[in-house]
């Protein structure tokens, strides 16, 4: 961006940079470069100095080198032609005897985000991967990912992928983690890095050598690995157990997430893991940094969705302290409300009452609403606190209390008497429209119990001209008609005035309509109006619905330790809707070098035998009825084709009982050359699987869908191009595999 | 996850230094972030998560990370705090000034701590070998590459040498209490940490023995003076598996300062310095404060630098104090009286009275009611009774090293409400 007066500065710096006297004096040279970087940081355009800066990179001074590299990376995209000139220097530095210089040059060369750079960096990266200094290898490994990132459409280089898989065994822990990161980036289209058994075990054994970041990330990568048997699973759990006690909450959270995922079919493992994670999670709720505290609280809330009593004994940890920011206090109050039980209700309410008089009106209001929620179960105690708050005669507090009263009365009819006794005089302290609405509603519905109700309503009606909110007017109309039905003598006159005003002077359409409606309703006769407006005055059954049922752990385990828990569920849904992505499917694609690693010897035996039985069993397997393994299909391609095609056929397969493990299904299908692209987690409803196969020059795409436990398996098949024989052969093979799996499972369970 | 860029943004003014690590986010996205922060009057009340479009902003004081992925939130914050810590070790304070003055070092550090959105080396000891403050002076010739570039143990480099080998160990405990207005203790916990300053040559192997209750039970010792530690957390260097197996704390320490371990005890403790207060407010005329402090710890211990902060109304004026010991001072900018007592022996009780005038006109604003807080330090004493039984230092060159151990108890956050 052009900047006033920058031209002069640039000229001056240019002169200084090309002055041989300056160049020969290292200190002066570096100072000039320092000034260039300083101006660049301040937003001045220093691009015209590119040539001179490139020349300055040929130096033995490592700090000067760093500065020049920084400069080059910032402007390379603007001056790609000039940046190419720098490449020679960089290439030379990549062969420097000093590993610091080598690593630095390599890293920065890969950071030059400009077209055409990849052909130059390929060779240095490859030699960097084999460098004897780990510092260089770290840069080289990530360089592979950067290269792929520069040309996202380029073919994946199998040799590089293999090399990276090999480097997972590198001595240096950071190189190892970088390999995972790089592979994940490179193989993004194919579902990321593949974690098979040897890799998983290797990673598990290296865990203790890693730094915090490495540990958290490896734990996340391990989510992809499914142990083959129970004993392996428990070995993994034992190995990772100590990480639940890590001093870093991010490692604790990552471990917990992994445990929850590993135990998705074993509730005992999940609850055990949460039990072990309770202490660390509570400690994180009192962490030094308030952001970490906030994150921990969000996760506590998530756990409470399934295990309401999990933190019950520790409710005092969620008392707010004076200096905490409001966003933490809000969360703590929400948690406190959930932890209320017979024993602690007194203490919790006492604590919440303290917050009701907070300086922040939002917080005070939230505390009052929280007491209201507790009141749905412990109405008596809460009512006395709320009534006490009214005596403070504070605007905000009174409004919030009246709103809480309205909700309480609706849910707990037994409260209505004491509520009616206490709301007298409130109208003087309520200014906001929500509070007014609540008060007017109470006066209308319970007017016969409140001695002064007509006079309070009359005040509102008299002030109608100055009332801004249509919502209050609507509420006022209904309430006045209601009160007229129970106390006609006192109300008739003002009802008339109200209706006249609303019909003749009101500008808001909805208010006028409501007034007309009331007027016509009254014309139909009192009995008719009573029948329409009477209705029940409370609905205790709603309270039961409001108390949430416990959710299964698996419904949120996948989101644990991500960004999802920190947003409310609606917000998160809205956020993810814009970015797309379907988190419920586990991509299971194996591609390229990964497939070679997945030795078929390791496939579960059950799956193997099932598929072996299935393969020859299609009746009369003639040549053309066979499915062949073809080129792998990427998920994007699959999705495009799936959306484009019309379903060729729909069938329903018999499938009683639970789901089979995704590995078993995948292994079995693979043996008959059906590729599974993605599978839902077991026990997910609806459970889905996407499959594809090549046959007779066509591609068959299929979706398996299971909505309920009782129903069968719905199979939708699409084909491109249409070919009847291929379709039926695919279905026959699929049916046979599924049947065999069913049989083998039945025999397994009869053995046990 | 991948942090795309990090911007030390100071005091919400503007972005000082930024770095786009991955290049998948337009740097102009940050322009959406600042107004969101500005909207709120008080910075502290903005949630640390802000989303705009597909970009998530995760921010702490001075720093913001942007990501498009569904990142691991705890990790991002831990990383940001780590960077702040590293910066602080370099320039003492992280302020606009210090960043401007040291922007070269900031750039260098940002280059090393993260690459392509992935954290790399964040250990400040090791970073200090890559990037020295001396970097600003001129070094002629290529510097020798630091040993850690090729090292196996990531937290200690080889070839460290000292003339005198010593280890200093501080056992620091603090008591966190929540006391209700009625004077009952709502919640109490002891938070302890063991800090070390290691001045040792070579690759020493250390073993620390504590009077750990579980260890005593395992070895069949009588458990008279043992302490049951909860929620123990160790520095990365401690071999966790050995601790899990036989409760031995063995490790190769990093060079210089580090926090070796931290622990928590949920035992019920009474406040070490008990405060009773009577605050009488006569509207429109005066406020009278009486504070009584009693040392509830052993008589032979002494609390040092006791500082008791008592809040007073913001519109109070003309203070008068009477303290039987120490000195009381009015700090108008904090709306508080601070009563300091240099030395406070156990078992003693002191009294302080304060008198303030109030204006005859009421202020409109609602008064905040901050709690009374107490700060102090008791040397040679731990509340939990934890003790270092031994600290063995073994190095293959066989040198003799001296371990020094100190105990200190500090006040934690100890709000007393009224």
């Amino acid at each position: 961006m052009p900047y006033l007066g920058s031209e002069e500065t640039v000229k001056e710096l240019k002169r200084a940079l090309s002055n041989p006297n300056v160049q020969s004096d290292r200190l002066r040279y570096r100072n000039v470069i320092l000034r260039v970087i300083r101006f660049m940081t301040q937003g001045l355009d220093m691009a015209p100095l590119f040539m001179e800066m490139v020349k300055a990179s040929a130096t033995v001074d490592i700090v000067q080198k760093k500065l020049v590299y920084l400069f080059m990376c910032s402007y390379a995209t603007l001056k790609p032609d000039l940046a190419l000139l720098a490449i020679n220097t960089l290439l030379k530095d990549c062969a420097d005897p000093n590993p610091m210089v080598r690593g630095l040059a390599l890293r920065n060369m890969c950071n030059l985000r400009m077209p055409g750079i990849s052909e130059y960096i390929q060779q240095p990266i490859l030699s960097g991967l084999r460098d004897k200094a780990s510092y260089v290898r770290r840069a080289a490994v990530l360089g592979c990912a950067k290269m792929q990132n520069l040309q996202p459409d380029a073919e994946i280089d199998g040799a590089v992928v293999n090399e990276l898989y090999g480097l997972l065994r590198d001595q240096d822990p950071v190189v190892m983690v970088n390999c995972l990161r790089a592979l994940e980036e490179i193989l993004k289209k194919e579902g990321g890095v593949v974690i098979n058994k040897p890799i998983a075990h290797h990673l598990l054994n290296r865990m203790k050598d890693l730094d915090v970041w490495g540990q958290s990330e490896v734990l996340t990568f391990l989510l992809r690995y499914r142990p083959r048997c129970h004993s392996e699973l428990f070995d993994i759990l034992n190995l990772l157990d100590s990480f639940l006690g890590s001093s870093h909450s991010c490692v604790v959270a990552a471990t917990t997430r992994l445990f929850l995922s590993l135990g998705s079919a074993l509730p005992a493992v999940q609850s055990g893991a949460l039990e072990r994670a309770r202490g660390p999670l509570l400690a994180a709720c009192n962490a030094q940094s308030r952001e970490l505290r906030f994150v921990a609280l969000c996760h506590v809330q998530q756990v409470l969705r399934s295990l309401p009593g999990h933190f019950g004994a520790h409710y005092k940890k969620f008392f707010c302290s004076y200096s905490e920011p409001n966003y933490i206090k809000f969360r703590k109050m929400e948690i406190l409300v959930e932890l209320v039980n017979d024993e602690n209700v007194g203490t919790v309410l006492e604590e919440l009452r303290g917050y009701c008089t907070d300086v922040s009106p939002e917080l005070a209001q939230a505390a009052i609403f929280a007491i209201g929620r507790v009141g749905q179960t412990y109405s008596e105690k809460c009512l006395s606190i709320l009534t006490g708050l009214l005596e403070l005669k504070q605007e905000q507090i009174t409004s919030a209390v009246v709103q809480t009263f309205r909700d309480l009365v609706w849910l707990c009819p037994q409260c209505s008497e004491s509520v009616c006794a206490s709301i007298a005089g409130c109208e003087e302290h309520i200014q906001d429209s929500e509070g007014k609405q609540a008060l007017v509603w109470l006066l209308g519905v319970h007017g016969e119990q409140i001695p002064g109700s007509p006079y309070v309503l009359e005040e509102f009606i008299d002030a109608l001209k100055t009332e801004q909110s249509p919502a209050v007017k609507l509420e006022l109309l209904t309430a006045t008609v209601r009160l007229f039905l129970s106390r006609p003598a006192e109300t008739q006159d003002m009802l008339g005035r109200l209706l006249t005003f609303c019909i003749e002077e009101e500008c808001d359409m909805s208010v006028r309509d409501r007034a007309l409606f009331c007027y016509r309703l009254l014309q139909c006769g009192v009995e008719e109006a009573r029948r329409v407006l009477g209705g029940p005055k409370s609905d205790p059954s709603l309270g039961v619905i409001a108390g949430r049922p416990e959710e299964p752990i698996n419904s949120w385990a996948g989101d644990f330790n991500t960004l999802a828990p920190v947003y409310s569920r609606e917000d998160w849904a809205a956020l993810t809707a814009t970015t797309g992505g379907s988190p419920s499917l586990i991509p299971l694609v194996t591609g390229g070098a990964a497939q070679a690693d997945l030795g078929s010897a390791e496939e579960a035996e059950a799956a193997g035998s099932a598929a072996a039985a299935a393969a020859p069993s299609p009746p009369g397997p003639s040549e053309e009825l066979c499915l062949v393994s073809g080129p792998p299909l990427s998920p994007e391609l699959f999705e495009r084709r799936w959306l484009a095609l019309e379903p060729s056929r729909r069938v329903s397969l018999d499938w009683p009982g639970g789901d089979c493990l995704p590995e078993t299904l995948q292994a079995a299908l693979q043996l008959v050359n059906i590729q599974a692209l993605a599978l839902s987690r077991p026990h997910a409803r609806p459970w889905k699987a996407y499959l594809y196969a090549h046959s007779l020059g066509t591609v068959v795409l299929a979706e398996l869908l299971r909505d309920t436990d009782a129903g069968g398996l719905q199979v939708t098949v699409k084909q491109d191009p249409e070919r009847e024989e291929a379709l039926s052969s695919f279905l026959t093979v699929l049916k046979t595999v599924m049947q065999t799996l069913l049989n083998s499972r039945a025999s397994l369970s009869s053995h046990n | 996850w991948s942090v795309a860029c990090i911007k030390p943004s100071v005091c919400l003014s503007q972005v000082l230094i930024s770095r786009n690590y991955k290049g998948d986010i337009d740097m102009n996205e940050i322009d959406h972030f600042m107004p969101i922060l500005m909207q709120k009057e008080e910075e502290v009340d903005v949630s640390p998560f802000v989303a705009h479009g597909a970009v998530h902003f995760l921010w702490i004081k001075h720093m913001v990370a942007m990501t498009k992925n569904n990142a691991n939130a705890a990790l991002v914050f831990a990383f940001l705090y780590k960077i702040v810590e590293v910066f602080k070790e370099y320039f003492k304070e992280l302020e606009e000034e210090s960043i401007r003055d040291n922007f070269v070092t900031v750039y260098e550090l940002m280059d090393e701590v993260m690459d392509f959105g992935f954290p790399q080396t964040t250990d400040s000891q090791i970073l200090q070998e890559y990037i020295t403050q001396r970097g600003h002076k001129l070094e002629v010739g290529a510097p020798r590459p630091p040993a850690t570039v090729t090292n196996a143990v990531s937290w200690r480099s080889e070839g460290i040498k000292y003339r005198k080998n010593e280890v200093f160990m501080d056992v620091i405990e603090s008591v966190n209490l929540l006391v209700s207005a009625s004077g009952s203790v709502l919640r109490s916990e002891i938070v302890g940490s063991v800090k070390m300053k290691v001045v040792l040559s070579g690759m020493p192997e250390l073993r620390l023995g504590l009077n750990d209750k579980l260890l005593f039970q395992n070895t069949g010792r009588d458990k008279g003076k043992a302490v049951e530690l909860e929620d123990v957390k160790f520095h990365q260097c401690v071999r966790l598996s050995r601790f899990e197996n036989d409760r031995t704390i063995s490790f190769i320490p990093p060079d210089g300062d580090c926090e070796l371990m931290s622990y928590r005890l949920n035992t019920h403790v009474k406040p070490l310095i008990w405060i009773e207060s009577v605050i009488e407010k006569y509207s429109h005329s005066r406020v009278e404060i009486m504070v009584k402090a009693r040392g509830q710890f052993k008589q032979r211990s002494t609390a040092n630098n006791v500082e008791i902060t008592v809040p007073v109304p913001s519109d109070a004026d003309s203070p008068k104090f009477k303290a039987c010991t120490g000195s009381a001072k009015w700090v108008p900018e904090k709306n508080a009286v601070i009563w300091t007592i240099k030395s406070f022996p156990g078992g003693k009780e002191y009294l302080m009275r304060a008198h303030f005038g109030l204006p005859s006109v009421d202020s409109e604003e609602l008064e905040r009611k901050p709690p009374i807080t107490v700060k102090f330090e008791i040397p040679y004493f731990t509340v939990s009774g934890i003790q270092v039984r031994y600290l063995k230092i073994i190095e293959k060159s066989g040198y003799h090293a001296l371990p020094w151990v100190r105990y200190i108890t500090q006040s934690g956050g100890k709000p007393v409400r009224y």
Side-chain angles (χ1 to χ4, degrees), chain A residues 88 104 127 147 337 411 443 500 513 545-546 549-550 564 621 662 666 719:
Chain A
N88 259 334
L104 211 64
S127 46
M147 196 159 67
V337 169
L411 297 171
L443 291 170
T500 321
D513 276 353
I545 299 168
E550 292 167 26
Q666 201 194 7
Q719 206 185 11

Side-chain angles (χ1 to χ4, degrees), chain A residues 127-413:
Chain A
S127 46
L129 288 176
R130 301 197 183 95
D131 200 287
K132 61 181 189 299
S134 57
Y135 186 74
V136 183
R137 290 201 300 274
R138 291 175 190 177
V141 167
L142 285 184
C144 299
K146 290 175 193 167
M147 196 159 67
Q148 185 70 32
N149 208 31
L150 281 173
Q151 23 178 207
D153 306 322
E155 282 271 309
I156 294 166
D157 187 348
V160 170
V161 171
N162 276 335
E163 187 105 8
L164 288 177
Y165 270 111
L167 272 176
L168 282 176
R169 313 261 165 195
D170 195 281
Q171 221 187 11
D172 183 74
V174 181
V175 173
M176 185 189 92
V177 182
N178 278 356
C179 275
L180 284 175
R181 294 157 169 164
L183 281 169
E184 178 72 9
E185 199 66 32
I186 294 171
L187 301 174
K188 201 160 33 179
K189 280 194 196 139
E190 301 179 2
V193 55
V194 175
I195 308 288
N196 60 19
K197 187 169 172 175
I199 293 180
H201 286 202
H202 171 67
L203 293 178
L204 285 166
N205 287 328
R206 292 293 298 273
M207 273 293 285
K208 56 181 186 308
D209 305 333
L210 304 175
D211 59 2
V212 194
W213 328 116
Q215 285 175 352
S216 319
E217 278 179 71
V218 167
L219 286 167
T220 314
F221 280 116
L222 282 172
L223 286 171
R224 293 212 189 126
Y225 179 65
R226 297 277 127 195
R228 302 283 171 197
C229 59
H230 276 326
S231 69
E232 189 191 353
L233 186 135
F234 285 109
D235 282 345
I236 294 177
L237 295 181
N238 281 332
L239 208 63
L240 293 179
D241 194 63
S242 61
F243 291 98
L244 280 179
S246 163
S247 58
H248 297 274
S249 50
C250 47
V251 178
V252 176
T255 317
T256 315
R257 184 181 181 194
L258 180 62
F259 278 25
L260 292 178
S261 148
L262 284 174
S264 54
L266 302 162
V269 170
Q270 286 186 327
S271 57
L274 289 174
E275 195 74 25
R276 293 271 286 116
R278 176 162 52 196
L281 204 52
L282 281 169
C285 290
N286 286 314
Q288 279 272 302
S289 113
R290 54 184 192 220
E291 288 82 11
L292 285 175
R293 231 181 297 163
F294 178 71
V295 174
L297 289 170
C298 297
H299 281 93
V300 164
Q301 279 189 308
Q302 206 175 31
V303 173
L304 285 175
R305 271 154 60 177
S306 297
L307 305 168
H310 197 61
F311 296 96
H314 304 274
Y315 66 96
K316 282 183 180 167
K317 299 260 179 201
F318 302 103
F319 285 1
C320 304
S321 76
Y322 174 74
S323 53
E324 278 170 331
N326 279 355
Y327 57 83
I328 287 188
K329 288 183 179 168
F330 282 126
R331 293 278 171 166
K332 282 193 167 175
M333 279 198 286
E334 287 171 25
I335 293 171
L336 275 177
V337 169
E338 302 213 14
L339 295 182
V340 166
N341 58 31
D342 290 351
E343 281 146 43
N344 62 25
V345 61
T347 334
V348 171
L349 283 177
E350 200 58 36
E351 184 70 18
L352 285 175
R353 178 165 61 181
Y355 309 150
C356 293
T357 47
D358 197 278
V359 189
S360 148
E362 293 93 23
L363 196 78
Q365 208 155 46
I368 293 167
F369 292 148
I371 293 180
R373 276 180 60 200
V374 176
Q376 292 171 17
T377 332
Y378 302 96
S379 47
E380 222 167 283
K381 292 196 177 87
C382 295
L383 277 177
S384 70
I385 291 182
L386 292 172
T387 318
L389 287 172
L390 285 179
E391 281 159 23
L392 295 174
K393 302 196 191 304
Q394 289 277 338
E395 218 175 272
Q396 315 273 0
I397 295 176
T398 312
S399 161
V401 169
V402 171
Q403 291 172 56
T404 313
F405 276 160
R406 174 192 53 192
D407 300 343
L408 260 183
V409 164
W410 184 252
L411 297 171
C412 319

Side-chain angles (χ1 to χ4, degrees), chain A residues 110-113 142 145-150 180-182 184-186 188 217 221, chain B residues 1-6 18-27 66-69 110 114-118:
Chain A
C110 302
N111 278 346
L112 296 172
R113 294 182 192 118
L142 285 184
K146 290 175 193 167
M147 196 159 67
Q148 185 70 32
N149 208 31
L150 281 173
L180 284 175
R181 294 157 169 164
E184 178 72 9
E185 199 66 32
I186 294 171
K188 201 160 33 179
E217 278 179 71
F221 280 116
Chain B
W1 73 293
S2 68
V3 171
C5 59
I6 294 191
S18 65
R19 171 127 195 182
N20 198 339
Y21 281 111
K22 198 152 183 189
D24 61 345
I25 298 177
D26 190 351
M27 289 305 266
M66 312 202 298
T67 178
K68 272 188 176 170
N69 304 8
M110 284 170 69
M114 180 170 255
D115 191 7
F116 202 48
F118 300 116

Side-chain angles (χ1 to χ4, degrees), chain B residues 30-252:
Chain B
I30 194 73
D31 297 341
H32 301 299
F33 173 66
M34 288 303 170
I36 298 175
L37 274 195
M38 302 286 212
Q39 274 170 17
K40 301 270 179 164
E41 239 170 74
E42 280 187 68
E43 185 186 339
V44 286
D45 286 339
V46 186
S47 158
F49 296 89
V50 176
H52 183 275
V55 184
H56 300 278
F57 300 92
L58 286 77
W59 71 279
I60 64 172
K61 199 178 175 198
H62 299 314
M63 297 262 193
V64 51
M66 312 202 298
T67 178
K68 272 188 176 170
N69 304 8
N70 188 4
N72 173 340
L75 185 59
V76 177
F77 283 125
F79 181 72
L80 291 181
Y81 271 104
K82 184 71 203 181
I83 299 183
V84 170
E85 194 188 313
V86 169
F87 282 171
K88 278 186 179 159
E89 258 166 72
Y90 271 87
F91 347 107
K92 297 282 181 298
E93 245 167 80
L94 189 61
E95 290 303 336
E96 191 162 341
E97 266 325 66
S98 61
I99 290 179
R100 278 196 204 286
D101 291 349
N102 296 289
F103 72 97
V104 175
T105 319
V106 173
Y107 274 128
E108 285 186 62
L109 284 171
M110 284 170 69
D111 201 32
E112 294 292 342
V113 292
M114 180 170 255
D115 191 7
F116 202 48
F118 300 116
Q120 301 289 307
T121 314
T122 51
D123 194 298
S124 55
Q125 254 108 38
I126 290 181
L127 281 171
Q128 253 148 20
E129 293 180 15
Y130 290 169
I131 303 153
T132 45
Q133 288 286 63
R134 288 188 304 280
H136 299 287
K137 290 187 221 133
L138 199 64
E139 289 163 49
V140 181
R144 221 172 50 81
T148 31
V149 173
T150 48
N151 209 8
V153 180
S154 69
W155 58 86
R156 189 183 179 90
S157 31
E158 276 160 32
I160 298 173
K161 263 208 144 48
Y162 289 104
R163 223 159 47 82
K164 192 173 180 190
N165 290 298
E166 287 175 306
V167 182
F168 302 91
M169 188 168 263
D170 281 347
V171 181
I172 302 164
E173 285 192 349
S174 60
V175 186
N176 284 324
L177 281 174
L178 197 59
V179 182
S180 76
S182 57
S184 59
V185 176
L186 286 177
R187 185 177 91 192
S188 72
E189 67 176 7
I190 302 170
V191 180
S193 89
V194 178
K195 295 206 167 123
M196 297 192 22
K197 183 184 166 85
V198 179
V199 188
L200 293 174
S201 315
M203 277 286 175
E205 175 75 47
L206 268 63
R207 235 167 63 211
L208 173 67
L210 298 171
N211 54 341
D212 175 8
K213 192 167 180 179
L214 279 176
L215 178 69
F216 278 24
Q217 275 168 3
N218 287 350
T219 50
R221 225 184 286 247
D222 89 285
K223 38 197 185 278
K225 277 174 90 180
V227 175
E228 193 171 351
L229 301 174
E230 286 169 48
D231 201 24
V232 191
K233 287 171 176 173
F234 289 109
H235 186 272
Q236 185 195 5
C237 66
V238 177
R239 298 185 183 89
L240 285 176
S241 49
R242 281 207 62 185
F243 182 73
E244 292 283 322
N245 281 343
D246 53 10
R247 307 283 287 187
T248 319
I249 304 169
S250 72
F251 53 97
I252 297 173

Side-chain angles (χ1 to χ4, degrees), chain A residues 211 252 416 491 517 581 592 717 732 751:
Chain A
D211 59 2
V252 176
S416 60
T491 323
F517 168 78
V717 188
T732 333
H751 278 308

Side-chain angles (χ1 to χ4, degrees), chain A residues 54-83:
Chain A
V54 168
K55 279 187 197 140
S57 69
T59 169
V60 286
D61 180 5
I62 210 158
V63 177
Q64 182 172 335
K65 253 192 208 316
K66 281 184 190 172
L67 292 176
V68 175
Y69 288 160
L70 177 77
F71 180 89
M72 288 201 279
C73 291
S74 315
Y75 288 115
T77 28
L78 296 176
K79 302 238 163 183
D81 43 336
L82 285 177

